[in-house]
Amino acid sequence: MEYSHILVRYGELALKGKNQKHFVTKLKQNVKKALYAFPDVSIKGKHDHMYILLNGEDASAVINVCKDIFGIQSCSLAMKVENEEETIKESALEALRREDGTTFKVTTKRPNKDFPKSSQEMNQIIGGHLLRNTEDWKVNVHQPDSEIRVEIRHDATYITANKIYGKGGLPVGSAGKTLLLLSGGIDSPVAGYLTMKRGVQLEAIHFHSPPFTSERAKQKVEDLAQTLTKFGGEIKLHVVPFTEVQQKIFKETPDAYGMTIMRRMMLRISEQIAEQHEILSLTTGESLGQVASQTMESMHVINEVTNYPILRPLVAMDKLDIMEISRQIDAYEISIRPYEDCCTIFVPKSPKTKPRKEKVHQFEDPIDFSQEIKRAIEGVETLTFDVTKVSQESMYEDLF
Ligand code: ATP
Ligand code: MG
């Protein structure tokens, strides 16, 4: 008997009461999309679990993709067998033989009450059969190396052994959309990833200042957006030509306030793009105290220009922890490519770490940026990235 199914468990998703149907439908769509490279699989979404029918596709490769889909708590390879005692016993034995370890436990569930034996009886019958037919395995009900789960349903009995943990979270697209300010750095892709984990779909915006920033710097951001699609299907990236705005700030405002004013311009433009695309929040990779623009005073002054909620999932995280996540999501190697960012080029040598609101207004208010902002928005180039273009290699390596 081969593993024919993958049993997918939802975790937190299962708690969502009336909205559950919406979450399950979203997850099912996301799983289907992520498994584009396995055309023969079919998916059955139930209210508390999902089955992926493999139909001959490679089980471990499919599980490896599922591990990265938000909303999935864990997956197990499953055998589907007839509701017949002898078959169930033999299949459970086969499942145990594929396991590593020396102790096991059998857990039977019997949603199908027409089955003539109780769950407890089945635990004993199967457990006894496993003990008689193996040499090294013993029972340990408290901390078994392997738990053989037998679920006797109406259509069939499902037998699962190993449990592979996924990333948890909520299905991307179940909690609206955000506009991620995506630089080429380490932090913002991680911020995007964590936001997606809470079910939020991403669009991204990047401020690009040619010829001061190169095509390769832009390529880096495109590669980061592409990498993030692995966790949530499609991502649109809006690339804003920012040179004119930056040059004007550089020329017409004092150096020490250049960075603060530039950030305010980024937020103003981001808000307009968000509005155009019916997106209800912005997300940044800011982390308190990390650089000059991320002090409490800076955030206060920069934030003044928008009423949009700004999600800052990294605000309380240490850089080392952020770097760790960046590595896990395969973004780190892209983020550390040594190409310049628009901020690093125009950033003054000593930006104000404690900018004052009245000073910002004194420098900014007399200058009319409206035409430059308008042209920047009109010049936006929108690129769409899709999970189907993620390299297969990066999706399937490190299997188990
Ligand atoms: P990151 O590693 O994400 O670049 P950082 O630690 O370098 O962050 P800053 O350069 O101050 O910090 O940027 C703070 C946030 O502002 C970034 O996380 C990102 O969300 C946004 N940001 C900075 N530069 C750009 C840019 N060129 N385009 C879009 N967003 C940007
Ligand atoms: Mg940066």
Side-chain angles (χ1 to χ4, degrees):
M1 178 61 62
E2 276 303 307
Y3 285 116
S4 53
H5 287 58
I6 292 171
L7 169 64
V8 174
R9 300 177 195 84
Y10 305 149
E12 192 177 343
L13 180 64
L15 303 173
K16 294 287 167 185
K18 277 189 191 156
N19 285 332
Q20 204 181 41
K21 199 166 168 215
H22 165 66
F23 284 83
V24 172
T25 307
K26 203 76 221 169
L27 182 62
K28 198 171 155 188
Q29 286 168 354
N30 294 353
V31 169
K32 207 168 181 147
K33 187 144 201 191
L35 293 177
Y36 68 92
F38 306 93
D40 289 338
V41 301
S42 53
I43 302 162
K44 284 196 175 147
K46 305 276 171 69
H47 72 286
D48 61 347
H49 67 277
M50 184 181 280
Y51 277 109
I52 299 173
L53 281 70
L54 289 164
N55 298 322
E57 297 284 9
D58 185 286
S60 2
V62 170
I63 281 207
N64 208 40
V65 175
C66 291
K67 280 195 320 194
D68 280 340
I69 302 173
F70 291 131
I72 293 182
Q73 195 67 26
S74 66
C75 298
S76 294
L77 289 169
M79 293 178 190
K80 182 183 182 183
V81 301
E82 274 177 48
N83 286 345
E84 199 270 316
E85 192 176 312
E86 276 313 304
T87 316
I88 295 173
K89 278 158 63 180
E90 280 311 306
S91 308
L93 179 60
E94 209 169 313
L96 184 66
R97 287 201 166 123
R98 294 170 193 228
E99 291 293 286
D100 294 324
T102 55
T103 57
F104 74 91
K105 161 187 179 179
V106 177
T107 308
T108 306
K109 281 191 185 159
R110 191 183 54 132
N112 174 3
K113 298 297 176 211
D114 297 335
F115 192 80
K117 301 242 162 74
S118 72
S119 305
Q120 198 45 39
E121 282 172 307
M122 284 306 282
N123 283 344
Q124 282 163 8
I125 292 169
I126 300 166
H129 186 70
L130 301 185
L131 286 172
R132 280 191 299 280
N133 290 282
T134 53
E135 286 180 2
D136 303 331
W137 289 94
K138 289 190 177 51
V139 172
N140 179 342
V141 291
H142 300 296
Q143 264 197 319
D145 295 329
S146 175
E147 184 178 359
I148 304 292
R149 293 182 205 80
V150 176
E151 209 163 324
I152 304 169
R153 295 180 165 269
H154 282 280
D155 61 329
T157 293
Y158 295 89
I159 298 172
T160 62
N162 58 345
K163 201 175 200 178
I164 293 135
Y165 285 92
K167 291 193 150 58
L170 298 171
V172 171
S174 65
K177 235 189 218 179
T178 196
L179 183 63
L180 170 71
L181 278 78
L182 184 62
S183 70
I186 292 170
D187 301 322
S188 41
V190 174
Y193 166 80
L194 291 175
T195 315
M196 287 165 116
K197 186 169 180 186
R198 295 312 299 165
V200 180
Q201 199 189 332
L202 293 189
E203 290 200 15
I205 183 166
H206 176 67
F207 295 88
H208 180 50
S209 298
F212 305 101
T213 54
S214 64
E215 267 308 300
R216 284 192 295 187
K218 182 172 156 224
Q219 184 63 47
K220 187 176 163 183
V221 177
E222 292 177 21
D223 291 348
L224 287 169
Q226 180 67 65
T227 300
L228 287 173
T229 61
K230 191 165 93 171
F231 307 101
E234 188 185 281
I235 296 178
K236 284 201 172 86
L237 170 66
H238 307 283
V239 181
V240 182
F242 200 45
T243 318
E244 243 197 308
V245 175
Q246 272 195 306
Q247 281 179 318
K248 186 155 178 161
I249 298 170
F250 193 63
K251 242 184 10 221
E252 302 189 22
T253 65
D255 244 22
Y257 271 81
M259 198 254 326
T260 310
I261 293 172
M262 180 187 76
R263 294 268 174 229
R264 287 162 62 95
M265 294 300 165
M266 281 186 177
L267 284 190
R268 286 187 176 107
I269 293 172
S270 299
E271 185 186 282
Q272 289 197 40
I273 301 285
E275 203 175 348
Q276 273 178 12
H277 296 271
E278 295 176 9
I279 300 172
L280 303 183
S281 68
L282 309 177
T283 297
T284 72
E286 287 163 303
S287 168
L288 205 53
Q290 212 187 74
V291 291
S293 63
Q294 297 171 23
T295 61
M296 196 68 83
E297 291 80 359
S298 277
M299 283 195 196
H300 183 74
V301 172
I302 294 167
N303 218 144
E304 187 197 25
V305 302
T306 179
N307 280 323
Y308 269 54
I310 301 182
L311 311 182
R312 296 184 176 90
L314 311 186
V315 76
M317 284 177 72
D318 289 351
K319 189 75 183 186
L320 287 177
D321 298 333
I322 298 169
M323 282 160 67
E324 179 60 33
I325 301 178
S326 169
R327 286 195 188 90
Q328 283 168 15
I329 64 172
D330 294 331
Y332 188 74
E333 293 302 322
I334 306 171
S335 292
I336 60 171
R337 285 185 210 155
Y339 304 120
E340 65 299 326
D341 180 57
C342 68
C343 312
T344 41
I345 285 178
F346 288 97
V347 102
K349 279 180 209 71
S350 48
K352 272 267 179 259
T353 53
K354 295 187 177 180
R356 295 199 355 240
K357 240 183 211 177
E358 56 287 3
K359 285 275 177 205
V360 174
H361 283 283
Q362 181 191 325
F363 302 135
E364 200 186 271
D365 292 354
I367 308 166
D368 179 12
F369 282 100
S370 59
Q371 289 312 306
E372 286 76 9
I373 290 181
K374 187 163 170 269
R375 280 194 290 273
I377 290 171
E378 284 167 359
V380 165
E381 176 195 10
T382 299
L383 306 164
T384 304
F385 298 91
D386 198 84
V387 66
T388 55
K389 293 179 205 132
V390 175
S391 98
Q392 294 296 304
E393 252 168 65
S394 71
M395 282 178 95
Y396 308 143
E397 66 198 15
D398 302 332
L399 189 53
F400 303 117

